[in-house]
Structure formats: C-alpha cells, structure tokens
C-alpha cells in the first residue's frame, strides 16, 4: 500500500506567510454590541466540544430552553437558541410566521425596522409600513389604528431600537393583535437581559434576541420563541418554510423529545449561553433590570455634567443603549477613533438617518457597571475638551 501521496496531490497554492498564535486586543466594548462577555462565560466556552446528540448535551439544551423561558417570562414550549447571530433569529421568526402573500405590517422607527421589511419582502409577504421619526415610539392608538386599517397577518416591531435608543412600550399591543387575528412579532435584541420584558403578559407571539448584548455572552447563538398561536399558524402552512436551516417544524424535532438530528449544533456557544443564563438567574431578573436602570441613570447624569444631551426623552430611553447628540462642530467619527486609539474603548456611531449626529453608547449585561461609566466619561471629557 502506498504510504505517500502521489505527486499530483501537492497543494496548488503557496501557503500564506506563517503567523504567530492569535492575540486579541483588550477592549472595553461600550458600543451597540457586542459587549464584553462575562469572564465566567468565556471560561465555560473554553472546553472541549462534545457531540450534539450526547446525552449530556441534550440535557444542556433542555436547561437552555428553561432558562430562556424564564429570561423572557414566557411558558412557550417552542423556545430555543438559533445557531447564528440575532439576524438569523430575526429571519427565523419571519420565515416561520410568513407565507407568500401574507400581509405583514412593520412599524418602522429606526434602522432595524427596515431590516424586518427587507426580510419579510424576501419571503413573499405583502408588506405595509407605518413610520415614526427616529427617536420616538408608537402609541398604542397608532398601532391599533394601523391594525384596523391594514388587517395584517403579522405585526412586526422592534422593542429596543438600537439605532435610536428608544424603548417601544408594548403593553396592550398583544391583545389588540389577537383581537385582529394577527400575530405579534417582537425584536428584543437590545432588551433581553437588561430591560423588563413579559412576553406572555404582553401576548407576544414571536420573539428573538441575541447573545452578545444584555446576556453577556459571545455572539453566534440567538434566542427564539413562538407562542402556541404562532405554532398553530406554522402547522396550518400550505407550503413548507422556505428556509430549511431555520424551519421551526424541523428544529422542534431536535430541541423536543424526538431528538432528531438536524445540524451540528454550535456546542461551545451553547456552553457559553447556558453559563450566561445561569449567571442571570443567580443575579435575579429584577436586580439585573434595576442594575441596568441605575447604571444608565448615572451615565445620563454624567453626560449632562459634561454638557451633552441625549437624543431620546427620558421616559422612552433604553437603559441598555443611549444615543448621545454630537455637539455642533464636533467630528463624531474622529472622537470614536480617539476613544479607541487612546483608551481602547469602542463606542458606536449613528446609523442611517442619525449618521454623524449621535454616538451610540451601550451599557449592557456585564458592562452595565458604574466603573465603566466613570472610565468612559473621563475619556470622553478629555477627548472633547
Ligand atoms: N435587531 C436589532 C435591534 C439589533 O440591534 C441587531 C444588531 O445589533 C440585530 C437585530 C441583528 O443582530 P446581529 O447583529 O446579532 O445579527
């Protein structure tokens, strides 16, 4: 038997120059995400993978589902983590809830509302939109009037608009949707783990989030949930879900008791998410929401002391993400660059309509601490004066 490869199996391309082992710079991530992960989450992740059908892994999946239900305050049986970032979980809600021709109403008040519009169109929805200026929220009356006018099958709305820093009040919307035979789909990417959410009480039918913000985990694994009403629509579909990878009808056979292989799960990210959610439970949901509110209030006071103003009125301001107005004559990008080069601090610039007009400052999960506020305010004060 030949023990050497034949000559024509030699590599066709020359290897790249050899690199030294990876070193990652230390950053304080105070932008719109990712935030720094809790070191205990990184330690949990930093272990050997096990098989995605190993009994120990299956038990871990059950734990993650239960922890996610608590974090979202829902009893939805169909609650799991999508292998992908928040956008994958976002697409999962649209792919599973929408059939071609369904009317989808998207309430747009920032950048991520438009992403929902784009996705819904790609799945063949008849999309209609309503709008609020970037920095404001919808009233229940506006949303109810739009439900009456457009009669959508799905209403999609962002709870925490990361492009504007606005918290969209959701009380009463779920029952208005149910009255109009419409499913309520909510983006909780920048709220989960940092802002009070009561999915069942608010009668939310589909929701998704991410791991890298309020949950203090690495990016790449994303919470997803469907209410029994949303599952009933899934079961009535005339056509299969157009996205195989995100099809909840297939995935629930892997996450549920049947344990049917679907894909090779990102097992190390599951370790990380389990640890992040375990730490959230250890801290307690209410103390965690309180911590985010206190840290944000302390930050807002510090901004006022520096003569800076927030873009959003206080009653609608997210504790997780603040949009700070860039003073006249200041180059927003140059300030961001200097914070990075001189202080290793990352902040975000404005997106879309707010480009160049605001900085986006995240105080989320592990990073929601007064010491980080002090560090940032000191750096910002020095750079600006
Ligand atoms: N929705 C909102 C409100 C977001 O802020 C983001 C990302 O920041 C996303 C969706 C997309 O999430 P990801 O970047 O994890 O794909």
């Amino acid at each position: 038997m030949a023990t050497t490869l034949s000559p024509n199996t030699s590599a066709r391309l020359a290897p790249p120059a050899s690199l030294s082992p990876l070193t990652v710079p230390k950053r304080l991530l105070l932008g719109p995400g990712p935030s720094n992960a809790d070191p205990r989450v990184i330690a949990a992740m930093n272990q050997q993978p096990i098989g995605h059908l190993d009994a120990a892994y299956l038990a871990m999946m059950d734990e993650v589902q239960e922890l996610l239900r608590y974090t979202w305050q829902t009893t939805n049986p169909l609650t799991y983590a999508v292998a992908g970032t928040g956008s994958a979980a976002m697409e999962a809600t649209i792919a599973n809830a929408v059939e071609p021709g369904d009317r989808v109403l998207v309430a747009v008040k920032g950048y991520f509302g438009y992403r929902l519009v784009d996705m819904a169109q790609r799945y063949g929805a008849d999309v209609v939109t309503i709008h609020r200026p970037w920095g404001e929220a919808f009233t229940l009356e506006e949303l109810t009037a739009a439900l009456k006018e457009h009669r959508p099958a799905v209403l999609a709305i962002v709870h925490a608009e990361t492009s504007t820093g606005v918290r969209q009040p959701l009380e009463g919307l779920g029952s208005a949707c149910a009255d109009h035979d419409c499913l309520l789909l909510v983006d909780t990417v920048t709220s989960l783990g940092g802002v009070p959410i009561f999915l069942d009480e608010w009668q939310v039918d589909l929701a998704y989030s991410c791991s890298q913000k309020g949950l203090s985990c690495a990016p790449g694994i994303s919470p997803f949930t469907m209410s029994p009403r949303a599952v009933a629509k899934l079961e009535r579909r005339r056509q299969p879900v157009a996205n195989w990878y995100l099809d909840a009808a297939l995935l629930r056979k892997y996450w549920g008791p049947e344990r049917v292989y679907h894909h090779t799960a990102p097992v190390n990210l599951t370790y990380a998410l389990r640890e992040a959610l375990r730490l959230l439970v250890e801290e307690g949901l209410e103390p965690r929401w309180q911590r985010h509110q206190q840290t944000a209030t302390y930050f807002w006071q510090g901004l006022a002391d520096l003569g800076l103003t927030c873009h959003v009125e206080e009653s609608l301001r997210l504790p997780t993400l603040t949009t700070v107005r860039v003073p006249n004559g200041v180059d927003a990008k140059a300030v961001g660059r200097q914070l990075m080069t001189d202080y290793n601090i990352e902040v975000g610039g404005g997106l879309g309509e707010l480009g160049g007009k605001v900085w986006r400052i995240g105080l989320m999960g592990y990073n929601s601490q007064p010491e980080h506020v002090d560090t940032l305010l000191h750096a910002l004060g020095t750079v600006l004066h």
Side-chain angles (χ1 to χ4, degrees):
M1 240 198 261
T3 55
T4 53
L5 296 172
S6 64
N8 68 357
T9 52
S10 56
R12 304 303 194 252
L13 298 178
S18 73
L19 297 173
S20 48
L22 181 69
T23 53
V24 177
K26 258 191 141 155
R27 309 285 194 219
L28 179 56
L29 299 177
L30 300 181
S35 292
N36 294 87
D38 190 306
R40 290 167 289 183
V41 170
I42 299 300
M45 198 174 158
N46 190 19
Q47 303 184 60
Q48 282 290 343
I50 57 174
H52 54 279
L53 290 169
D54 185 311
Y57 185 72
L58 300 178
M60 209 181 298
M61 289 167 71
D62 289 344
E63 289 165 350
V64 165
Q65 289 180 283
E66 195 187 335
L67 290 162
L68 284 177
R69 289 187 194 107
Y70 169 73
T71 308
W72 254 327
Q73 297 285 286
T74 182
T75 55
N76 287 345
L78 197 62
T79 302
Y80 56 77
V82 170
T85 67
S87 304
M90 182 191 242
E91 185 153 348
T93 55
I94 298 283
N96 285 288
V98 174
E99 283 203 82
D102 279 354
R103 174 155 302 166
V104 175
L105 170 64
V106 187
V108 179
K109 53 182 169 30
Y111 181 89
F112 290 99
Y114 283 111
R115 188 171 294 186
L116 282 163
V117 170
D118 186 357
M119 287 187 185
Q121 282 170 341
R122 287 167 191 246
Y123 283 89
D126 165 19
V127 178
V128 287
T129 57
I130 52 171
H131 295 263
R132 289 295 300 161
W134 289 37
E136 296 179 18
F138 290 92
T139 63
L140 180 57
E141 292 68 36
E142 287 165 335
L143 293 164
T144 310
L147 285 172
K148 256 195 203 108
E149 183 185 345
H150 298 294
R151 300 268 155 196
V154 178
L155 165 61
I157 192 162
V158 178
H159 182 217
E161 207 3 296
T162 325
S163 61
T164 64
V166 167
R167 183 185 54 81
Q168 170 64 51
L170 294 171
E171 291 83 354
L173 184 56
S175 77
C177 284
D179 289 346
H180 290 83
D181 197 20
C182 166
L183 297 177
L184 175 58
L185 187 165
V186 176
D187 177 319
T188 67
V189 166
T190 297
S191 48
L192 190 65
V195 182
I197 305 182
F198 304 96
L199 278 200
D200 282 1
E201 201 174 301
W202 293 347
Q203 294 177 247
V204 175
D205 295 297
L206 296 117
Y208 57 91
S209 190
C210 74
S211 49
Q212 72 272 15
K213 301 193 191 202
L215 299 184
S216 316
C217 183
I221 186 161
S222 301
F224 166 87
T225 190
M226 287 175 81
S227 72
R229 235 159 57 84
V231 172
K233 184 172 191 303
L234 175 70
E235 287 170 348
R236 285 195 308 269
R237 287 182 72 98
R238 296 175 299 274
Q239 302 177 15
V241 173
N243 186 316
W244 181 88
Y245 191 64
L246 300 173
D247 184 347
L250 299 176
L251 281 161
R252 72 171 159 170
K253 294 190 185 143
Y254 176 41
W255 283 88
E258 291 171 73
R259 301 303 189 184
V260 176
Y261 161 70
H262 180 266
H263 64 278
T264 305
V267 290
N268 291 64
L269 283 169
T270 308
Y271 305 165
L273 183 60
R274 180 196 182 277
E275 181 65 2
L277 295 170
R278 186 190 73 78
L279 292 169
L280 178 145
V281 171
E282 191 176 271
E283 180 175 1
L285 212 39
E286 299 91 337
R288 194 177 178 100
W289 292 335
Q290 191 61 45
R291 170 165 65 84
H292 279 78
Q293 193 62 40
Q294 267 164 3
T295 308
T297 308
Y298 178 60
F299 176 51
W300 299 335
Q301 185 54 54
L303 287 172
D305 295 344
L306 282 179
L308 295 168
T309 51
C310 294
H311 181 62
V312 177
E313 70 157 89
E314 192 161 344
S315 67
L316 293 178
R317 218 178 275 163
L318 283 168
T320 42
L321 191 288
T322 302
T323 40
V324 182
R325 288 209 178 112
V326 177
N328 280 340
V330 170
D331 178 345
K333 276 195 182 148
V335 171
R337 273 197 302 272
Q338 200 175 341
L339 287 172
M340 177 59 90
T341 52
D342 295 2
Y343 297 94
N344 281 309
I345 297 175
E346 180 176 279
V347 299
L351 263 188
E353 278 184 25
L354 293 177
K357 296 186 185 149
V358 297
W359 292 289
R360 293 183 302 143
I361 313 286
L363 292 164
M364 302 190 258
Y366 186 69
N367 280 355
S368 168
Q369 300 177 32
E371 306 84 78
H372 292 330
V373 171
D374 290 339
T375 305
L376 174 64
L377 288 172
H378 168 76
L380 199 55
T382 312
V383 170
L384 286 175
H385 294 113

